Amino acid sequence: MAASVLISPPAQAESLPESLRPTLADTHQRQQTPQLQWLMRQWRQRMDTHLADFISAPTERRKLLTHVYQEAHLAGLPPALVLALIHVESGFDAQAVSSAGAVGLMQIMPFWIEELGLPMDDLTNQTRNLRYGCTILAHYLAVEQGDFTHALARYNGSLGKTWYPERVLRTWRDHWR
């Protein structure tokens, strides 16, 4: 979240409804229909070539793409948008830490653990980071009534500015569709 405008944790999270908390709970993988499994495999195959520029190991790519698809699907987000956000935020580095203290693939600020999670949550853990990031982005998308530009600006802490949403949306369009 380079060059983001920092907002204090309570101001950013105060309107977060209780309904989002269950999405962060450790849930068992929902039963996927054969059709959903087929769609995920097709999507994963299309995205694999693009992701090879960032992650060379095929098994790691497959694992990440599977988690991105599942978490985006759970949150009602386009999986390719989540890839674009990760591309911009961390360059697919699960260990990334920004100068502002944001952590992991989706660059989650640690205060979100207190707001939404469990004390033992590790934001460098790919699955937990994706769960947090997708939940937070879905919330902001709901707050902004489907407006990707405003939701992405909220996610980045730069509401009122368009440089960050434009960068993510351009990356989505140019690299992940």
Side-chain angles (χ1 to χ4, degrees):
M1 292 175 39
S4 66
V5 175
L6 294 178
I7 297 174
S8 67
Q12 201 171 32
E14 69 188 38
S15 64
L16 198 66
E18 282 292 320
S19 63
L20 281 182
R21 293 181 189 278
T23 64
L24 285 173
D26 286 324
T27 57
H28 295 289
Q29 188 58 38
R30 293 182 179 182
Q31 186 71 11
Q32 290 190 350
T33 65
Q35 180 184 13
L36 286 176
Q37 290 175 354
W38 181 83
L39 289 170
M40 181 178 64
R41 283 191 305 270
Q42 296 300 309
W43 177 82
R44 195 173 55 206
Q45 187 175 6
R46 284 193 318 272
M47 297 298 120
D48 186 72
T49 303
H50 300 293
L51 191 56
D53 292 340
F54 300 93
I55 301 173
S56 60
T59 55
E60 290 302 311
R61 288 195 308 269
R62 178 186 166 109
K63 180 180 168 185
L64 177 60
L65 289 169
T66 298
H67 285 134
V68 166
Y69 189 90
Q70 290 170 340
E71 294 301 330
H73 184 72
L74 180 65
L77 298 170
L81 173 63
V82 174
L83 287 175
L85 190 144
I86 294 168
H87 185 161
V88 168
E89 287 287 350
S90 68
F92 296 93
D93 179 2
Q95 303 302 313
V97 178
S98 76
S99 60
V103 178
L105 291 170
M106 294 186 76
Q107 292 290 276
I108 308 302
M109 292 298 288
F111 74 79
W112 283 110
I113 293 173
E114 186 176 320
E115 293 296 322
L116 298 174
L118 302 169
M120 73 286 241
D121 279 346
D122 176 5
L123 294 176
T124 62
N125 175 281
Q126 172 177 293
T127 305
R128 295 308 290 166
N129 192 277
L130 290 168
R131 178 68 56 94
Y132 273 87
C134 288
T135 300
I136 295 162
L137 183 57
H139 167 66
Y140 288 145
L141 197 56
V143 166
E144 294 296 342
Q145 300 175 6
D147 185 319
F148 283 104
T149 300
H150 286 121
L152 288 165
R154 281 185 183 273
Y155 185 91
N156 175 256
S158 59
L159 188 60
K161 299 178 181 170
T162 62
W163 64 269
Y164 175 82
E166 288 170 357
R167 186 172 171 203
V168 173
L169 294 171
R170 186 174 46 254
T171 301
W172 184 20
R173 181 194 66 218
D174 294 347
H175 299 283
W176 301 104
R177 284 203 178 190

